Amino acid sequence: MNAFAQFRAIGVDCRIVATRPDELPSARLMVDRAIADLDAVASRFRPDSEVSVLSVAPAAGAAGTVTLPASPLLLSLLDDALWAADVTDGLVDPTLGAAMERIGYDADFAEVLARTAADSPASVGDGRSGRASTPGPRSTLSELTLDHRAGTVTVAAGTLIDLGATGKASMADRVADELARTLTGGFLVDLGGDIAVAGPPPVGGWAIAVEDEDGTVPQRISVTTQGVATSGTDRRHWQLPDGPHHHLIDPRTARSVPHTWRRVTCVAASALEANTATTASCVLGDAAVTWLTERAIPARLVGQSGDVSRTPGWPMPARQDRSAS
């Protein structure tokens, strides 16, 4: 019988499932360590994290770029982020941390929600973080380069890296693989909806609940080696004087994407690939179904009115969703 542990870390709900109950305590220790490493490297909310230090470093070149040493983990996470940017033609962009702060997401989400609409983007953005104000958030993706041999990362001065779209998924993949290599049995690692599996699956595969906004489960799917991810506008949203905002940014506008999809769930070869597809889908809006279909990515998309669309390959539900595509 599978054993599991559920807990909250880095602002999200996390879960570990092990097919061997005796391996769960060791698995939990390894996942805790991996999450701590991710937080130390990629948290936008810690002044001592690598991405924060990089964003406040003074410009050190005529081109206005900054080059600093980077840990192997940061370089690896940035490799994954640049891959996601490449395969989505920039729809998933790791250089928009400043844009995220400008719309109010500059602290743990619980703190963001606790603020009132009287807080302005200016008061909750660069002012609280201590970063110098810039003319306006923009993508600096073309200026982000890595040098693995030298162990450095180069970015445009003032760029705040945001690995929220890919970092948890990358870490879920990494730690699931590590668990399967070093422990006995199969493992599922869920970091805030980015789900990776490794090792021998349980009989019938890993059962994944596909939740709707209200917490109901209209469908469960089964995977054996694939990753699963969910993104959407239904949970991380807040109100400011200039209107509603949420955490999904369109790199073309540096603003929250229009509320086309409340929730998108994708199945892919890894959690990273699934997360990349869900994030790109939210940015694409109505064009997402065609984009996913052309790439043979199974997906379930829930629109603002609750209507459900599915792409080819998505498993049909055991019982009908509230609305059929």
Side-chain angles (χ1 to χ4, degrees):
M1 183 176 180
N2 297 339
F4 70 94
Q6 292 179 296
F7 55 98
R8 192 161 179 85
I10 55 173
V12 298
D13 294 323
C14 303
R15 179 170 56 117
I16 312 164
V17 185
T19 59
R20 289 278 303 268
D22 57 311
E23 296 284 32
L24 184 62
S26 296
R28 173 66 190 269
L29 289 174
M30 293 169 66
V31 172
D32 285 345
R33 183 174 65 246
I35 291 174
D37 290 343
L38 176 63
D39 193 53
V41 165
S43 173
R44 292 189 293 110
F45 315 137
R46 288 179 52 165
D48 62 339
S49 73
E50 287 195 67
V51 297
S52 292
V53 171
L54 186 63
S55 73
V56 298
T65 59
V66 174
T67 299
L68 286 181
S71 67
L73 178 56
L74 178 58
L75 288 171
S76 184
L77 292 172
L78 285 172
D79 263 336
D80 288 344
L82 288 172
W83 171 86
D86 181 56
V87 299
T88 62
D89 295 320
L91 295 174
V92 182
D93 188 332
T95 68
L96 294 176
M100 196 76 78
E101 289 198 333
R102 289 295 182 89
I103 62 169
Y105 197 178
D106 69 336
D108 183 86
F109 191 64
E111 181 179 337
V112 173
L113 282 181
R115 295 170 181 159
T116 69
D119 290 313
S120 69
S123 69
V124 297
D126 292 341
R128 288 194 184 181
S129 67
R131 297 183 180 86
S133 180
T134 58
R138 65 180 181 90
S139 171
T140 57
L141 184 61
S142 62
E143 295 160 281
L144 173 59
T145 59
L146 311 179
D147 187 332
H148 285 272
R149 179 171 296 182
T152 60
V153 56
T154 299
V155 296
T159 297
L160 176 58
I161 298 295
D162 177 21
L163 294 172
T166 59
K168 295 192 307 299
S170 294
M171 188 56 77
D173 287 329
R174 294 162 196 271
V175 73
D177 287 342
E178 182 184 4
L179 293 175
R181 287 196 313 270
T182 58
L183 302 176
T184 304
F187 299 90
L188 178 149
V189 177
D190 177 356
L191 302 182
D194 296 324
I195 300 173
V197 299
V203 175
W206 297 101
I208 309 294
V210 180
E211 291 188 3
D212 275 341
E213 179 181 4
D214 59 3
T216 60
V217 180
Q219 183 180 4
R220 295 181 187 274
I221 61 174
S222 177
V223 301
T224 54
T225 60
Q226 304 97 324
V228 181
T230 298
S231 298
T233 62
D234 61 342
R235 289 190 174 175
R236 296 198 176 199
H237 53 85
W238 60 95
Q239 185 75 29
L240 291 176
D242 63 341
H245 293 279
H246 57 78
H247 71 297
L248 293 167
I249 297 287
D250 187 336
R252 299 164 294 190
T253 64
R255 304 290 291 174
S256 297
V257 301
H259 286 254
T260 308
W261 303 112
R262 286 204 317 235
R263 181 164 288 210
V264 181
T265 301
C266 291
V267 178
S270 66
L272 173 64
E273 293 183 32
N275 178 282
T276 298
T278 60
T279 303
S281 296
C282 290
V283 176
L284 284 165
D286 289 332
V289 174
T290 298
W291 187 88
L292 291 164
T293 300
E294 290 174 347
R295 288 157 180 78
I297 299 173
R300 179 181 184 270
L301 306 93
V302 183
Q304 289 304 306
S305 63
D307 55 304
V308 176
S309 299
R310 305 180 192 85
T311 60
W314 179 262
M316 293 303 294
R319 62 180 180 83
Q320 284 296 94
D321 290 316
R322 287 194 295 268
S323 300
S325 60

